[in-house]
Amino acid sequence: GGHYDPDYLVRTITSEGVTVLQAVPTLLERLAESEGFGGCVSLRRVYCGGEALRPRLVEKFKARLPGAELCNLYGPTEATIDATFRVCEPGLAATPIGRPVSNARAYVLDAGMRLLPAGVAGELYLGGECLARGYLNRAGLTAERFVPDPFSGEAGARLYRTGDVARWDAAGELEYLGRVDGQVKVRGYRIELGEVEAALLSHEGVRDAAVAAREGARGEMMLVAYVVAAEGAAEGGGAINAGELREHVRRVLPEYMTPSAFVQLDSLPLTPSGKVDRNALPAPDGAALDAARAYVAPRTPTEELLAGVWEHVLGRERVGRDDDFFLLGGHSLLAMQVIARIRDSFRVDLPVRVIFDSPTLAELSTRVETAMRSGAGLTAPPLLRRTEGEQSPLSYAQQRLWFLDQLQPGGNAYNLPAEMNLGDEVDANALAQALGEVVRRHEALRTTFALAGEEPVQLIHPPAPVEITLVDLSALGESERQAATQRLRDEHALRPFDLSAGPLLRAALVRLGGGRGHLFLLCLHHVVSDGWSMGVLLSETRRLYAEFRRGLPSPLPELQVQYADYAAWQRQWLRGEALAAELDHWKRALDGAPTLLELETDHPRKPSRAAGGAQAPVVFTEELSRSLREFGRREGATLFMTLMAGFHALLHRYTGQDDVLVGTPVAGRARVELEPLVGFFVNMLPVR
């Protein structure tokens, strides 16, 4: 329970001539910090287990006892405690757990129980003679955690699902990354919290660290890092420079895994068993570390207005004139929101790249004032509600998909599936009520398409209850349930929609059982939705469900405009000279561009495109990823831009063509009113 005197233990080890010690990392940390630990010369080997061994502790141990061997043991109780073994030396980048012991087997598998290659994280499964028989008088839990072994070839062989995330390194050693339930999704990316914590702990000024996904001021999920200063850093004043720490993380991890806020604590809160108590971690408000620069107040009216915009978009209490948008947690989607609010506040149109070129508040303020002096006002008319009863045209994006559907009806290429994991206890009525309220709020979800004369139009139907198909798989065994769940996913995602009859949204609630809760499946046609919209849909459904199951009313404000208003506005704006200017730009940009990518193939090119396709994952090493980020920074480019250039170069190598087009999707929501809407705004832009 943590109630021990490390100095007493050091004296005991020394006086008794102890040669082998087994300890949990928390105890070993305290021992290594004790003054007399370096004098324990009789200690030849230490076995460490029970919780994750931090790489920094290995460094500290070997510095105090260079002649002793430090062995890390891993294994849950269900696998007779110790199932893998590793002798640890300094210089580790992650928590090593080594190779399986004799008569034990270890596999890193994906959600479909398929083997994963080195470097790819997945759930760790253990097998062999070490496994327990199961849980006493708990047949359901035993069936869930102890599953048939598809790899051993032995009749009746089983694997234990540890619930831990691991990966194989290039040397064939296992690295522990965290718990499966420590995996979070932020801005569409699935993130292992253990990987981010390992990156923080590799900084010399950090003694301990924890990372959590917290809800920001505007309801979006964000990563928050909680750090404890190392002993030397604490003696030097104790404050850790957040800007320096953020840059350190960005050097070893992708941008999307960099925490948006940093909070320094004297110590991490622990549960009675010695684990980090994530529920007790404080909110990142006044405790958050300051950015790299000291706060300097805005000096001009423009800077004050911009500071208010940044505070709203980034969820910050205070923004100074020297603050950097990206060091405060900004990214490209938030940059679009800033540009939209600049349009509303200053009545000027600026491209998103301005924020990348001028990332500090003072620099951006100068760009805004320059645009205002040059008279570069708004080119588009205001977006207003259409007249009631007015016929609604299709947006240009919708017209593209409607045309393709007319050309090849009954396809499923533009289906957008999504899913949400819910707990064991689900109120199906409250869930249906929540989804029905989302459909009421967003006219796009009540839309079908028809011809009025020779032109397609949107038909917006009145609100109606939403049917959620209920499926119960709880009576199936583990392998049967996994197969049935995947079949349901596929059928739900691939069944075509009828754009003229609708509805263009369907939902199913799957009861999994065995402690796995429920799976809520959604699928929409792209003509009424996009990736951003799916985030809006899931977020509103989750929030409304929480309120409705408690008998409370909807907390969501009514929407200012609807998608049909946007479509009418777009048609009104993009005509005449405005449309001609846009068309002229793209005619010039694409003049003489190739219409085919002349890849060498082993079969003749088919006259029409088939619907089949596949994915080929490519995993970059940490060293290569770090080199790419550093190269991009030297060239003044983001990682996306660097990889896009690399992809162009690769296609040139394959084809020999000097002129290559690659499409990249953009969100298409350059106005504040469009941010909370469900609808089809995304656009594919060719990068030549």
Side-chain angles (χ1 to χ4, degrees), residues 31 61-62 132 136 153 195 201 225 232 362 439-440 526 547 552 596 613:
L31 289 173
F61 175 88
K62 297 300 287 187
L136 184 62
E195 280 194 90
L201 287 164
V439 172
R440 183 202 68 79
H526 209 333
E547 298 298 317
L552 298 175
L596 285 177

Side-chain angles (χ1 to χ4, degrees), residues 435 438-439 442-447 503-505 524 528-529 537 678:
L435 188 58
V438 174
V439 172
H442 297 276
E443 289 180 356
L445 301 176
R446 298 185 268 118
T447 300
L504 302 183
L505 172 151
L524 290 82
V528 295
S529 184
L537 176 63
V678 170

Side-chain angles (χ1 to χ4, degrees), residues 32-298:
E33 291 175 353
S34 181
E35 200 169 305
F37 188 64
C40 298
V41 291
S42 61
L43 196 57
R44 308 307 301 166
R45 174 176 285 187
V46 171
Y47 292 102
C48 212
E51 59 190 57
L53 174 65
R54 308 289 195 186
R56 181 161 299 283
L57 179 54
V58 179
E59 310 274 349
K60 188 180 296 186
F61 175 88
K62 297 300 287 187
R64 302 298 300 276
L65 287 176
E69 193 175 63
L70 179 59
C71 307
N72 192 28
L73 303 174
Y74 164 84
T77 306
E78 293 86 346
T80 58
I81 303 177
D82 297 329
T84 70
F85 173 90
R86 166 74 186 262
V87 177
C88 298
E89 295 294 336
L92 298 169
T95 300
I97 56 176
R99 293 186 171 95
V101 299
S102 299
N103 294 327
R105 299 189 300 275
Y107 303 96
V108 178
L109 308 178
D110 65 11
M113 289 192 68
R114 293 178 291 265
L115 291 167
L116 291 171
V120 180
E123 185 171 359
L124 179 60
Y125 287 69
L126 297 174
E129 299 299 323
C130 61
L131 293 195
R133 295 181 180 179
Y135 300 99
L136 184 62
N137 299 327
R138 301 189 69 183
L141 185 59
T142 298
E144 178 192 344
R145 306 306 298 180
F146 292 85
V147 299
D149 183 348
F151 308 110
S152 71
E154 302 173 11
R158 300 173 305 153
L159 294 176
Y160 172 67
R161 299 186 57 195
T162 66
D164 289 324
V165 178
R167 66 184 172 203
W168 295 101
D169 65 14
E173 303 270 358
L174 284 167
E175 295 177 346
Y176 173 84
L177 300 176
R179 293 287 298 166
V180 170
D181 51 17
Q183 192 181 71
V184 298
K185 198 168 186 181
V186 177
R187 301 202 309 272
Y189 293 102
R190 208 167 287 280
I191 296 170
E192 302 290 349
L193 297 179
E195 280 194 90
V196 187
E197 290 170 355
L200 290 165
L201 287 164
S202 65
H203 188 280
E204 60 182 10
V206 177
R207 172 186 172 183
D208 213 346
V211 178
R214 303 292 294 257
E215 194 171 276
R218 301 181 61 238
E220 78 288 354
M221 296 303 291
M222 57 186 280
L223 281 185
V224 181
Y226 299 86
V227 294
V228 178
E231 195 172 351
E235 291 171 358
I240 302 176
N241 185 299
E244 178 187 314
L245 194 54
R246 183 179 282 105
E247 283 302 308
H248 172 79
V249 174
R250 288 174 68 185
R251 282 195 293 271
V252 296
L253 292 177
E255 183 72 37
Y256 68 85
M257 295 179 73
T258 304
S260 298
F262 292 78
V263 178
Q264 183 171 346
L265 302 174
D266 294 332
S267 62
L268 296 179
L270 302 178
T271 64
S273 62
K275 309 287 186 181
V276 174
D277 187 354
R278 296 184 185 276
N279 293 326
L281 293 169
D285 45 23
L289 294 173
D290 291 333
R293 295 184 175 94
Y295 174 76
V296 178

